[in-house]
Amino acid sequence: MAISRSRADPVEHPGGGFDHHDYDVLLVGAGLANSIVALMLSRAHRGLSIGMIERDDRIGGNHTWSFHTTDIDSDALTVLEPMLEARWPDQEIRFPKLKRILSTGYNAMTSERLHDAVMTNAAIDVVLSAGVKDVSSTGVALEDGRRISARCVIDGRGARATQSLALGYQKFVGLEVELVDPHGMTRPVIMDATVAQHDGYRFVYTLPFSPTRILIEDTYYSDGPDLDVDLLASRAHAYAAQNNWRIARMIRQEQGVLPITLAGDIEGFWAEGPQKAARSGMRACLFHPTTGYSLPDAVLLAQKIAASQQFDTAAIDKLVRRHSHRCWNERSFFRFLNRMLFLAARGDERRTVLERFYALPQPLIERFYAGQITSGDKVRILMGRPPLPIPRAMRHMSESQALAAVTQRLQGQIHG
Ligand SMILES: Cc1cc2nc3c(=O)[nH]c(=O)nc-3n(C[C@H](O)[C@H](O)[C@H](O)COP(=O)(O)OP(=O)(O)OC[C@H]3O[C@@H](n4cnc5c(N)ncnc54)[C@H](O)[C@@H]3O)c2cc1C
């Protein structure tokens, strides 16, 4: 597919003089983060020319992206609304000793809807089926030899391997199915941890899209990234059978291995990989440390970029780096909790730690998922009878020691 429009007008440089670029902003990779940047930019800056280049023949891959309503602000929700496949007013969690309904809204966005929203936005030019070979601060070279130039280049090509993060993993295989009879579920169950435990901490996640259509995701918090897709799919089938859900038709299957950050070196992370363009999404280390989810961070970054008045690579690179570093520094407590969960907890203790977490006040849980916990929340999380022996927990306090120890054991390979 060729570029449908390209900018013909010369662009005035901040320092004076004119130069020609194909676009004001060029987004490399049309995944979650760059798509949201494009949508927010087109809304905030009419007249800005925006190009997007994607290797695949569709935008956004094959995903269901979920988030809590409290993860993003109401303005962002307005932007995402047309892309939401479903919205639920509440959600449920199930542990052996705790069943709880949280009145926190939950939302699911799909790749199909993201694709349609971007493709029908007249302000965004999309080039599909075009692999990018080289990225610079002034444009890209495509694998087929074409070159596209821009004043501002943002690399959102997803997660890349890194040596600078010590990771655990959230892994899953999800089956979206049409059932013969109604499943009877009225709300998402974001963790059903009453299931048999394997490979770390296991739970099943279900999203009821219609009375007979449901996503069943067999999910693990594991030490390693290996994913046995057939085994997890068979466990999702077994979960359906246990609930007497007879599958009439398979709609879609998705799988993921998401990074859970135990420790890391943010300077090292940013020093790795191509340096010339600005970055977005997983590539900018913008994901929730404890879930690996990146939608709320993608929204926040897009809002920051859209609020900028200066669209050149250097300015946006500075903005993203500063934001990524700030998020990293503010989230050290999450990494500490992750070390408790992945390094200090043994056997079934991971499930116990999470069961205890879910008994905490709902506003705290909401702030936790939004990545915005307060000092009081931290105290509240650590208060009371500890779910792990204190001496064992203390051994994993130091992030730098944990990074050194863990990177020897687990080479940090991050997946999107
Ligand atoms: C199955 C699955 C489900 C997930 N569910 C959730 C969820 O519910 N909620 C949540 O918040 N997070 C979720 N995540 C985690 C995270 O939000 C996603 O991985 C998210 O898509 C990451 O966004 P991104 O923009 O950084 O990268 P991506 O969305 O992966 O986008 C990168 C894009 O760049 C393209 N690309 C790569 N290389 C090139 C190249 N050389 N040339 C051109 N294009 C290129 C890719 O094709 C892709 O489209 C999920 C992840 C997976 C895998």
Side-chain angles (χ1 to χ4, degrees):
M1 181 174 162
I3 302 171
S4 52
R5 284 185 318 280
S6 72
R7 186 182 171 92
D9 303 331
V11 172
E12 189 173 4
H13 279 299
F18 285 85
D19 193 5
H20 174 82
H21 290 287
D22 293 317
Y23 294 103
D24 293 327
V25 179
L26 182 61
L27 298 156
V28 187
L32 178 70
N34 271 354
S35 295
I36 299 177
V37 169
L39 293 169
M40 293 225 177
L41 272 180
S42 70
R43 184 167 169 259
H45 299 270
R46 292 188 195 285
L48 197 74
S49 65
I50 305 165
M52 278 185 105
I53 321 276
E54 170 56 43
R55 177 178 62 184
D56 290 347
D57 61 0
R58 291 190 63 78
I59 286 171
N62 170 25
H63 295 286
T64 311
W65 290 289
S66 302
F67 60 97
H68 307 271
T69 304
T70 44
D71 288 345
I72 63 176
D73 68 25
S74 56
D75 189 54
L77 199 54
T78 312
V79 176
L80 298 196
E81 209 135 29
M83 297 177 282
L84 299 182
E85 181 75 10
R87 298 193 66 182
W88 298 272
D90 51 20
Q91 54 184 278
E92 188 174 339
I93 49 108
R94 298 177 186 169
F95 284 86
K97 293 188 199 143
L98 177 74
K99 294 205 177 13
R100 188 170 178 197
I101 294 168
L102 298 164
S103 63
T104 310
Y106 205 64
N107 311 272
M109 183 172 122
T110 58
S111 303
E112 287 77 13
R113 285 173 179 258
L114 181 69
H115 175 88
D116 292 346
V118 174
M119 294 304 282
T120 55
N121 185 317
I124 308 169
D125 282 350
V126 183
V127 187
L128 293 175
S129 307
V132 169
K133 196 167 70 161
D134 290 316
V135 180
S136 79
S137 60
T138 53
V140 296
L142 302 187
E143 279 160 5
D144 64 12
R146 281 181 289 170
R147 288 179 181 277
I148 301 173
S149 64
R151 283 163 70 201
C152 177
V153 181
I154 304 179
D155 183 355
R157 285 177 293 169
R160 50 188 301 286
T162 175
Q163 300 296 315
S164 300
L165 304 180
L167 301 173
Y169 299 91
Q170 185 188 176
K171 312 187 294 199
F172 52 86
V173 172
L175 310 179
E176 190 178 325
V177 293
E178 184 67 39
L179 301 177
V180 176
D181 308 304
H183 45 65
M185 307 277 286
T186 54
R187 61 179 65 87
V189 177
I190 60 160
M191 279 188 185
D192 181 353
T194 59
V195 293
Q197 297 293 294
H198 307 282
D199 193 10
Y201 164 58
R202 173 177 176 234
F203 61 95
V204 178
Y205 168 92
T206 47
L207 297 182
F209 286 112
S210 81
T212 51
R213 192 177 132 217
I214 190 163
L215 174 72
I216 308 165
E217 226 157 65
D218 192 48
T219 312
Y220 299 78
Y221 269 42
S222 303
D223 296 331
D226 297 341
L227 188 69
D228 185 338
V229 176
D230 291 342
L231 178 66
L232 271 57
S234 75
R235 287 181 180 153
H237 276 286
Y239 187 81
Q242 258 172 35
N243 284 282
N244 297 318
W245 297 338
R246 285 185 299 145
I247 296 173
R249 183 169 69 88
M250 181 71 64
I251 300 170
R252 203 174 63 86
Q253 180 169 327
E254 71 174 23
Q255 63 196 58
V257 181
L258 308 185
I260 307 297
T261 323
L262 309 183
D265 164 17
I266 191 67
E267 300 297 340
F269 179 91
W270 274 95
E272 292 169 347
Q275 297 294 317
K276 291 174 182 162
R279 300 185 198 175
S280 66
M282 305 291 285
R283 202 158 268 241
C285 205
L286 291 171
F287 56 88
H288 193 290
T290 310
T291 62
Y293 275 19
S294 74
L295 186 141
D297 273 347
V299 165
L300 191 58
L301 181 71
Q303 287 176 309
K304 287 189 179 296
I305 292 176
S308 173
Q309 295 302 323
Q310 204 186 344
F311 292 103
D312 59 70
T313 301
I316 299 299
D317 180 40
K318 193 170 163 194
L319 179 156
V320 177
R321 279 177 195 256
R322 193 183 295 151
H323 176 62
S324 168
H325 279 74
R326 191 166 55 237
C327 289
W328 177 267
N329 293 332
E330 286 172 3
R331 294 174 182 176
S332 62
F333 185 75
F334 291 85
R335 297 192 292 279
F336 163 69
L337 292 181
N338 294 346
R339 292 197 292 280
M340 296 303 105
L341 197 59
F342 279 81
L343 303 179
R346 291 180 189 155
D348 202 30
E349 285 171 348
R350 266 183 208 172
R351 179 163 65 169
T352 314
V353 170
L354 283 156
E355 186 169 48
R356 184 175 177 276
F357 170 77
Y358 271 109
L360 291 168
Q362 182 175 313
L364 185 157
I365 296 171
E366 290 171 351
R367 287 191 291 274
F368 185 88
Y369 280 116
Q372 288 167 0
I373 49 171
T374 63
S375 313
D377 292 338
K378 293 178 192 174
V379 173
R380 185 73 184 78
I381 288 170
L382 297 176
M383 234 167 61
R385 198 164 65 86
L388 302 174
I390 288 173
R392 207 186 325 140
M394 293 296 286
R395 283 205 294 276
H396 302 282
M397 285 285 284
S398 154
E399 177 155 6
S400 53
Q401 280 175 16
L403 179 62
V406 174
T407 43
Q408 281 176 13
R409 200 154 55 78
L410 309 165
Q411 282 300 321
Q413 171 75 32
I414 78 172
H415 304 250

